[in-house]
């Protein structure tokens, strides 16, 4: 007589991960909140100005030619709607909101030579910094670079911020400028550019030239993890206040971010420093983006709020810059301008937002 066997329920198959959403998806003009109310003529003028650089790229050549032919009888808004199609930026998990932060151009004090009150050196790219453009070998790795130094025949990571401190003494003769405040210089590195006021009242501009290849780490997050600041206190102003109250721990704080920026000297001209396109940034009309998803030079409709506010900030921007911390489709850094007032706004800005990139009508991403 056969014995009965327990029936085993069928094993459930593990759920397959969903494929990442496409970063650019079709949209309509009516999807853009506040679109009709903006000053499109201002952005059209700015778009024309960047065409000196942009027209060299196949994506933008025809659009730049059309921008020069806009007649007095037409409106800038109608021109944008005729030339472009909007595409909504989407995160890999299909959500459509991301972080919008702010940046600015600091104005700091400095000297051409090391003096008692100017002891913080500003360096250009070191001669022993080696850069490998991976896109030249692997097209799928476009915009990716390795940075390091030679150890015999081996490429090894370049000096971190903490390691570079010892190098500063050895290389002091190579410094471009000397500044008076290490925390001000640290934030200038995060911004990527700044103006330096010299003792004779003249100014020079320094702009991003390269980086040591180490990943950016937030010192605000480090202070929160150390229990030194609450989350709402970790703004630029809050970090500076902590640094002033804890001078003995300043270097420890700065070394929490191993990334280090090297600079080049530039003339002080235009409304702002040059962005990634080499075009001067325009306060409140330029943003930094991730160029893997948003082509540089593209108009971008931004829907967010002003810093620490529910007041809507909806306007047409130009994607003219990039940044080490700007990663992902729905991610932007809003350029506020130069000086302390712009710095206050930039330091407080950490808003949720949505983005639509405008691409030429003939182009499908």
């Amino acid at each position: 007589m056969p014995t009965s066997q327990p029936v085993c329920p069928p094993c459930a198959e593990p759920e397959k991960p969903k494929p990442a959403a496409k970063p650019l998806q079709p949209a309509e003009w009516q999807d853009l909140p506040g679109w009709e109310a903006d000053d499109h003529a201002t952005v059209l003028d700015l778009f024309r100005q960047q065409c000196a650089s942009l027209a060299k790229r196949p994506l933008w050549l025809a659009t730049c030619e059309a921008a020069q032919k806009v007649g007095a009888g037409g409106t800038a808004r109608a021109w944008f709607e005729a030339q472009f199609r909007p595409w909504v930026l989407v995160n890999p998990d299909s959500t459509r909101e991301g972080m919008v932060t702010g940046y600015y151009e600091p104005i700091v004090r400095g000297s051409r030579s090391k003096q008692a009150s100017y002891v913080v050196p500003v360096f250009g790219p070191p001669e022993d910094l080696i850069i490998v453009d991976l896109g030249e070998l692997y097209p799928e790795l476009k915009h990716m670079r390795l940075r390091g130094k030679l150890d015999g025949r081996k490429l090894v990571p370049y000096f971190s911020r903490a390691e570079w401190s010892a190098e500063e003494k050895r290389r002091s003769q190579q410094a471009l400028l000397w500044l008076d405040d290490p925390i001000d210089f640290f934030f200038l590195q995060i911004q990527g550019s700044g103006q330096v006021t010299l003792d004779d009242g003249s100014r020079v501009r320094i702009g991003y030239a390269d980086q040591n290849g180490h990943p950016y780490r937030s010192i605000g997050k480090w202070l929160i993890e150390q229990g030194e600041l609450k989350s709402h206190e970790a703004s630029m102003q809050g970090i500076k206040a902590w640094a002033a109250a804890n001078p003995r721990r300043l270097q420890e704080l700065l070394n929490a971010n191993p990334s280090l920026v090297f600079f080049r000297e530039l003339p002080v001209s235009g409304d702002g420093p040059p962005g990634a396109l080499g075009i001067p940034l325009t306060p409140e009309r330029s943003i930094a983006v991730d160029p893997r998803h948003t082509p540089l030079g593209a108009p971008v409709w931004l829907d967010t709020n002003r810093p620490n506010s529910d007041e809507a900030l909806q306007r047409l921007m130009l994607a003219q810059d990039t940044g080490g911390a700007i990663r992902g489709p729905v991610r932007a850094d809003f350029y506020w301008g130069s000086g302390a007032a712009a710095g206050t706004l930039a330091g407080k800005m950490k808003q949720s937002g949505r983005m639509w990139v405008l691409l030429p009508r003939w182009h499908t991403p």
Side-chain angles (χ1 to χ4, degrees):
M1 182 176 177
T3 57
S4 60
Q5 297 293 327
V7 179
C8 180
C11 296
E13 293 186 4
E15 186 177 346
K16 295 181 180 179
K18 295 180 180 179
K22 291 183 178 180
L24 288 168
Q25 297 184 18
E28 302 294 336
W29 293 110
Q30 57 264 33
D31 298 335
L32 282 55
W35 169 253
E36 296 181 359
D38 198 23
D39 179 6
H40 302 85
T42 291
V43 184
L44 176 54
D45 286 341
L46 295 172
F47 184 84
R48 284 196 193 100
Q49 292 172 27
Q50 70 177 8
C51 277
S53 171
L54 214 57
K56 300 173 185 176
R57 307 183 182 202
L59 176 62
W60 299 112
L61 176 58
T63 310
C64 281
E65 290 176 347
Q68 308 304 325
K69 300 175 183 177
V70 182
T75 67
R77 177 186 150 202
W79 182 84
F80 278 106
E81 292 177 357
Q83 294 291 326
F84 296 92
R85 290 177 56 196
W87 298 79
V88 62
L89 284 155
V90 181
N91 293 310
D93 62 0
S94 296
T95 58
R96 300 188 176 193
E97 290 195 357
M99 185 185 299
V100 182
T101 49
Y103 70 120
Y104 77 112
E105 183 184 39
I107 299 175
V108 298
R109 296 194 61 82
S111 171
R112 292 283 184 188
S113 59
K114 186 177 181 179
Q115 300 178 24
S117 55
Y118 298 112
V119 295
V120 182
V122 179
F123 287 95
E127 292 184 357
D128 57 347
L129 175 65
I130 294 176
I131 303 165
V132 181
D133 190 341
L134 297 177
E136 293 183 359
L137 294 174
Y138 307 101
E140 66 274 18
L141 298 180
K142 185 180 179 182
H143 304 301
M144 301 289 285
R145 291 181 175 180
L146 285 177
R147 292 171 174 85
K149 58 186 175 72
L150 286 178
D151 182 1
R153 297 177 60 187
K154 185 179 179 181
L155 184 67
V156 299
Y158 200 70
F159 299 106
S160 67
R161 179 181 295 273
E163 294 165 339
W164 182 256
S165 295
E167 292 293 309
E168 288 182 345
K169 297 178 182 178
R170 185 171 70 85
R171 304 175 191 238
S172 62
Q173 296 300 315
Q174 301 168 19
L176 301 176
L177 295 163
W178 295 84
L179 308 185
D180 66 347
D181 191 309
I183 193 71
D184 280 348
F185 182 46
F186 180 88
F187 279 106
L188 190 152
Q189 291 182 65
I190 293 177
Q191 305 307 314
S193 63
Q195 293 184 41
V196 181
T197 302
L198 304 177
D199 283 340
D200 62 2
S202 64
R203 284 185 183 177
V204 297
R205 175 172 273 149
I206 53 176
Y208 175 94
D210 221 311
Q211 187 252 2
N212 65 348
H214 288 261
Y216 168 81
R217 305 294 185 200
S218 167
I219 61 171
K221 184 177 180 181
W222 183 83
L223 285 170
I224 294 170
E225 292 171 347
Q226 297 293 311
E228 297 292 331
L229 292 180
K230 303 295 183 183
S231 179
H232 68 277
E233 298 172 327
S235 64
M236 180 175 66
Q237 292 79 7
I239 294 171
K240 284 187 173 183
W242 185 93
N246 297 272
R248 293 184 178 181
R249 296 188 65 189
L250 176 59
Q251 197 59 50
E252 179 188 5
L253 170 69
L254 301 183
N255 289 346
N257 175 25
S259 177
L260 185 70
V261 174
F262 302 110
F263 292 90
R264 58 191 173 118
E265 187 173 330
L266 301 167
V268 179
S269 60
D271 290 335
L277 280 173
I279 303 297
L281 302 177
T282 300
E284 302 188 38
R285 287 292 181 178
S286 298
I287 54 172
V289 297
D290 186 339
R292 296 174 299 175
H293 309 292
T294 300
L296 283 174
V300 176
W301 185 255
L302 181 65
D303 174 31
T304 186
N305 300 99
R306 294 183 66 83
N308 287 352
S309 168
D310 293 328
E311 182 183 348
L313 181 59
Q314 299 169 333
R315 63 181 56 179
L316 189 57
M317 311 291 294
L318 290 174
Q320 295 181 320
D321 209 0
T322 61
I326 313 304
R327 293 289 182 266
V330 195
R331 179 73 174 91
D333 213 12
F334 188 100
Y335 177 65
W336 283 100
S338 303
T344 297
L345 290 166
K348 293 178 179 178
M349 190 166 190
K350 194 174 182 180
Q351 311 296 122
S352 176
R354 296 181 295 167
M355 299 165 60
W356 290 260
V357 60
L358 309 189
L359 296 176
R361 278 198 167 272
W362 59 266
H363 177 71
T364 299

